[in-house]
Amino acid sequence: MSEFGLIEHIARLFADADHQGWEAIGDDCTVLPIGGDEALAITTDMLVEGVHFLRDATSARELGRKALAVNLSDVAAMGLPAVATLLSVALPKDAGEEWAKEFIAGYHSLSKEQGIALVGGDTTASEDKIVINVVAIGRGPLSNVKRRSAARVGDAIYVGGRLGASAIGLKDILSQKYDTPYAEQHRLPVAQCAEGAWMGARKEVHAMMDLSDGLASDLCHILRASQCAAEIIVGQIPAVDGDVESAVCGGEDYKLLFTVESDMVEDFEHDFEAQFGYRPYRIGRIIESVQPEIIWLNKGERITPQWRGFTHF
Ligand code: ADP
Ligand code: MG
């Protein structure tokens, strides 16, 4: 069973459970309204040695920041600020006190920058691999929450930053080139926390999620949840080094992907730039369709991409 197959199986199994106000599986976080216009958003993400990182290719300190950053990215994707986290670690004997202290120093440095407390977790031994699990909690106005299901026909589609650096960096790391700028971006992704919380308060921002698996795969989650299709102008994808394949199919960029009401794009881009000093990248639009597909356009013509690792949806 694939990862998504298992998640669908779990979601179906629990579909009729009493959710007691919690939103069901399917978005970057689950959301609980807590009275007035307040809500909590909660997410969890795991990093496993050998699957998500190689111990020799990353420092413990970097890993501490990354474990937190990838979770903060999911909270940002809901349009809320993160307020607290829980951290669980399973450590083998050869990742001893020194490794653990460095890891926590990294985790603490990003927590401090973001003003977030660590309020719980679990610590245990492991046979030979390091396993890290983080729970991140966001809190803010329920009316600011952005869901994958909120894209509307006509919306402009944006990404919050340049794409593909992490995938290129991973290739560098796997060929033992650890000190390239892209390798560093792979080890130290920067979540768009301030941007996510700011966009939460912008009514013209409709659907939002973060890019962890790659644009081609992640955009389909919005399209499926919102029951629509997308036209993407390939030439407008902000691909690092002009490497469109890495930008579209590579994962772990942790930039925000969002849709904006079409007649608000000028004001939105202007205000975004005034706030953050750069413009987000408009890459296409949402179109009406019963099939949640991505139509890739190159110079106005529809193309069928031949990118490696690209599976047509
Ligand atoms: P993300 O990339 O944003 O972390 P995922 O693709 O990992 O999201 O997960 C998609 C959805 O499935 C999310 O709502 C997540 O909470 C849920 N999910 C993933 N794995 C599990 C699981 N083992 N049990 C329950 N829900 C899960
Ligand atoms: Mg996500």
Side-chain angles (χ1 to χ4, degrees):
M1 193 183 274
S2 71
E3 183 191 330
F4 290 126
L6 177 59
I7 295 171
E8 267 172 36
H9 173 75
I10 292 170
R12 268 199 305 274
L13 202 58
F14 282 88
D16 60 1
D18 179 2
H19 278 59
Q20 307 203 33
W22 292 91
E23 267 174 33
I25 289 171
D27 224 308
D28 294 277
C29 292
T30 180
V31 175
L32 179 72
I34 54 170
D37 185 34
E38 280 276 292
L40 296 178
I42 303 188
T43 184
T44 184
D45 242 313
M46 187 148 60
L47 294 180
V48 178
E49 181 181 355
V51 179
H52 300 99
F53 66 93
L54 302 169
R55 212 190 300 182
D56 294 342
T58 183
S59 71
R61 197 175 277 254
E62 288 169 332
L63 202 61
R65 286 185 73 95
K66 181 168 183 170
L68 177 58
V70 302
N71 280 275
L72 297 184
S73 181
D74 275 325
V75 175
M78 301 306 291
L80 298 180
V83 292
T85 67
L86 292 87
L87 167 66
S88 299
V89 288
L91 298 177
K93 282 207 176 67
D94 58 358
E97 188 180 324
E98 199 183 330
W99 193 95
K101 280 202 167 146
E102 276 296 297
F103 173 84
I104 290 297
Y107 193 98
H108 178 251
S109 71
L110 181 54
S111 299
K112 201 168 173 191
E113 282 164 35
Q114 296 292 330
I116 305 167
L118 172 54
V119 296
D122 195 19
T123 306
T124 180
S126 159
E127 192 68 35
D128 62 351
K129 298 277 190 270
I130 298 168
V131 180
I132 299 151
N133 187 73
V134 173
V135 173
I137 304 167
R139 180 176 183 164
L142 178 62
S143 54
N144 283 13
V145 171
K146 304 298 181 190
R147 298 183 180 82
R148 296 177 179 185
S149 57
R152 295 186 213 151
V153 171
D155 280 1
I157 302 170
Y158 286 86
V159 290
R162 287 159 63 72
L163 304 179
S166 185
I168 298 171
L170 178 59
K171 274 185 229 154
D172 287 347
I173 288 168
L174 293 176
S175 51
Q176 267 98 46
K177 288 183 279 181
Y178 301 132
D179 57 0
T180 72
Y182 300 139
E184 182 170 319
Q185 286 182 61
H186 177 81
R187 292 194 301 266
L188 287 172
V190 177
Q192 297 193 291
C193 300
E195 290 88 336
W198 182 83
M199 284 195 278
R202 301 290 299 205
K203 298 303 163 218
E204 69 273 31
V205 176
H206 292 162
M208 184 150 69
M209 68 179 297
D210 70 326
L211 286 165
S212 53
D213 293 339
L215 178 64
S217 162
D218 287 331
L219 177 55
C220 284
H221 292 307
I222 287 182
L223 302 180
R224 230 179 307 188
S226 303
Q227 297 181 305
C228 54
E231 272 179 3
I232 297 296
I233 301 164
V234 174
Q236 283 177 202
I237 297 169
V240 165
D241 272 359
D243 182 347
V244 178
E245 179 171 335
S246 292
V248 171
C249 308
E252 298 203 71
D253 281 315
Y254 298 103
K255 300 294 184 252
L256 293 171
L257 169 68
F258 51 96
T259 78
V260 174
E261 173 86 40
S262 61
D263 53 13
M264 294 294 290
V265 296
E266 309 296 337
D267 285 352
F268 170 76
E269 288 182 20
H270 172 273
D271 294 354
F272 187 107
E273 186 173 24
Q275 186 73 19
F276 298 109
Y278 67 93
R279 280 194 177 224
Y281 299 87
R282 199 194 312 176
I283 59 170
R285 65 190 180 107
I286 297 289
I287 57 171
E288 194 166 346
S289 171
V290 284
Q291 187 88 338
E293 63 178 339
I294 303 174
I295 293 168
W296 304 92
L297 297 174
N298 192 16
K299 301 191 178 91
E301 298 283 318
R302 185 171 180 171
I303 58 162
T304 306
Q306 303 298 329
W307 301 308
R308 228 157 30 97
F310 176 81
T311 43
H312 193 69
F313 185 66

